[in-house]
Amino acid sequence: MGDHLGYHDDGVHMSQGFPIARIAGIRIRAHWSVLLICGLLAWGLADGLVPVAVPRTPELLSWTVSVAAALVLLASLTAHEVAHSLVARRLGLPVDGITLWVFGGVSQIRGDLATARTEIAVAVVGPAVTLVLTGVFFGASAALAAAGAPGLVVLAAEWLAGVNLLLLVFNLVPAFPLDGGRILRGILWARRGDRSRATIAAARAGRVFAFLLVALGLVDFFATSDFGGVWLVFIGWFLASMARGEQRGETVRRALEDVRVRDVMSTNPIVVPSWITVRLLLEQYAMRYPYTAFPTHGLDGKVDGLVTLLGMKRVPPRQRGERRASEISIPIEQLPIARPDDLVTDLFSRMSSRGAGRALVFDGEQLVGIVSPSDVGRRLQVGTVQPPAAARRPESPPVA
Ligand SMILES: [Zn+2]
């Protein structure tokens, strides 16, 4: 069972799932697949360990204790994630919540504001909590055994200690996206002052480790036809895709580093009156100009929204002569606004969530451009032809 932080918001879409709790203001959700992992854990304990360690335990009792132990384990995982999230929030990183699912827990933390130090602090605290829990469960099992508690209860405490220890060791492997990989990235980043190279190194280690897990899983599966092997293959595959996604994201970030909005925007956008009909919009603008979005202006001449080609096409042909641009436009309050000197990477983090993926660029009161995803995509392609290496100044090591 893996664990990682969803440091970037476009990696794994974990927003599905039902809310189960709220701890210190952090929303905790559970994906249905968490039932699968709970069931498997309880099964392993009730059907595998209990009959060996405490023979002649009644089936119902064994299952009750096993399910309870699996739930306590889930709580341990949650504590690990809550620690990541609380420290992140304390250090000023936005936290969207925690999702529990088949591979454990995911803290959704926006990492683009992180520094090397916050990265290390956030990554270290999860394993620290797991270490404490391992100690607590080992201590409890010893105390219970000394006090003459029933074997089943002692076994459950030992099992909790053992699984937490396993999670601790697994999480500390220096391979992204595991906590150990994040600590490695933070250390490399602090030492060399280059986030990109640190990320790429940690992600590469992540892919090597993921490959080893898959290989080990396949060998195990063919040698023993054991379910554990399949599990390793899944975890390896998941880790590899996370590492690859992070590596790709870092490449994009690097290509857009120091790129300003003025370098990617389409200039001199065609502004249309907000009172004309959709039919006129299509005939006089959409068919005449090679744009897929047009800002609108009101009677006072001020820009008040944006109509998109998609929005026009959504209006049934029969209604196009009656409905007006203002009825299908996105109001300006809902659009990301940028200035020509803003960094594209800053605008990006605001663009993803709202406004049809486009931003309006104002120079003072004057509308001077529009930024769309295709503008940025074009820039990225140009960027790969001409690496902006000469223009890049080394980042100073972050100290915040
Ligand atoms: Zn963790």
Side-chain angles (χ1 to χ4, degrees):
M1 189 161 43
D3 150 84
H4 73 97
L5 303 171
Y7 258 40
H8 50 114
D9 48 1
D10 54 352
V12 188
H13 289 281
M14 290 301 305
S15 45
Q16 321 96 306
F18 42 94
I20 51 167
R22 209 181 168 93
I23 299 176
I26 291 165
R27 277 181 303 129
I28 299 168
R29 306 171 74 83
H31 187 254
W32 64 266
S33 58
V34 80
L35 293 174
L36 179 68
I37 189 63
C38 257
L40 283 173
L41 285 165
W43 180 44
L45 189 54
D47 204 56
L49 278 181
V50 173
V52 178
V54 196
R56 290 190 302 277
T57 305
E59 191 112 326
L60 181 66
L61 181 64
S62 163
W63 271 95
T64 308
V65 170
S66 297
V67 169
L71 289 174
V72 174
L73 184 67
L74 210 60
S76 326
L77 275 173
T78 308
H80 173 118
E81 296 303 329
V82 167
H84 282 311
S85 290
L86 284 179
V87 169
R89 201 174 61 180
R90 172 72 61 89
L91 295 173
L93 304 179
V95 176
D96 293 334
I98 292 169
T99 303
L100 302 173
W101 71 314
V102 69
F103 292 134
V106 185
S107 295
Q108 282 137 318
I109 298 168
R110 284 262 313 279
D112 37 352
L113 299 173
T115 63
R117 282 197 183 184
T118 57
E119 172 88 3
I120 295 172
V122 171
V124 157
V125 72
V129 164
T130 302
L131 177 66
V132 169
L133 288 171
T134 304
V136 167
F137 288 124
F138 266 125
S141 70
L144 286 166
L152 191 58
V153 178
V154 176
L155 177 71
E158 274 173 359
W159 178 82
L160 282 166
V163 180
N164 268 300
L165 181 62
L166 202 69
L167 282 172
L168 177 66
V169 172
F170 183 74
N171 271 313
L172 285 178
V173 173
F176 191 91
L178 300 172
D179 292 332
R182 294 184 182 280
I183 296 168
L184 173 70
R185 167 162 86 171
I187 291 171
L188 293 177
W189 183 2
R191 197 177 284 174
R192 300 188 195 147
D194 186 335
R195 175 189 169 132
S196 291
R197 277 166 67 189
T199 300
I200 289 165
R204 196 170 292 150
R207 292 174 73 174
V208 170
F209 179 62
F211 173 78
L212 288 177
L213 283 185
V214 171
L216 193 69
L218 287 175
V219 168
D220 183 63
F221 178 72
F222 286 116
T224 64
S225 53
D226 183 1
F227 182 77
V230 180
W231 195 241
L232 281 182
V233 171
F234 274 127
I235 292 177
W237 169 80
F238 168 72
L239 292 180
S241 67
M242 283 287 299
R244 202 163 44 233
E246 186 71 14
Q247 217 170 335
R248 202 177 294 144
E250 198 56 47
T251 311
V252 170
R253 209 172 290 146
R254 195 170 189 163
L256 291 178
E257 202 179 36
D258 294 333
V259 175
R260 306 278 160 177
V261 167
R262 69 164 77 256
D263 303 325
V264 299
M265 69 184 188
S266 302
T267 50
N268 304 319
I270 308 290
V271 185
V272 302
S274 62
W275 58 86
I276 64 170
T277 62
V278 174
R279 176 166 297 147
L280 271 180
L281 261 181
L282 282 162
E283 287 170 0
Q284 296 198 353
Y285 296 98
M287 287 176 180
R288 207 179 282 177
Y289 298 101
Y291 303 126
T292 54
F294 299 87
T296 58
H297 67 81
L299 286 168
D300 57 0
K302 279 190 179 167
V303 174
D304 60 3
L306 183 82
V307 286
T308 63
L309 193 57
L310 199 68
M312 299 177 209
K313 284 183 179 163
R314 277 208 197 112
V315 178
R318 274 210 223 137
Q319 299 175 16
R320 287 177 185 166
E322 297 144 34
R323 296 191 59 186
R324 299 187 181 273
S326 56
E327 296 172 57
I328 61 164
S329 72
I330 304 158
I332 193 157
E333 305 81 57
Q334 289 176 25
L335 292 167
I337 305 293
R339 281 166 306 165
D341 288 330
D342 288 351
L343 285 170
V344 169
T345 43
D346 291 345
L347 176 61
F348 243 27
S349 55
R350 288 186 284 138
M351 260 171 88
S352 50
S353 52
R354 52 199 204 137
R358 290 177 179 83
L360 297 182
V361 186
F362 282 90
D363 194 357
E365 293 280 290
Q366 183 74 26
L367 177 71
V368 292
I370 296 191
V371 178
S372 70
S374 60
D375 293 330
V376 180
R378 198 161 48 234
R379 168 72 208 200
L380 275 177
Q381 287 187 338
V382 174
T384 52
V385 179
Q386 299 172 307
R392 290 184 51 230
R393 52 190 151 64
E395 242 176 83
S396 59
V399 282

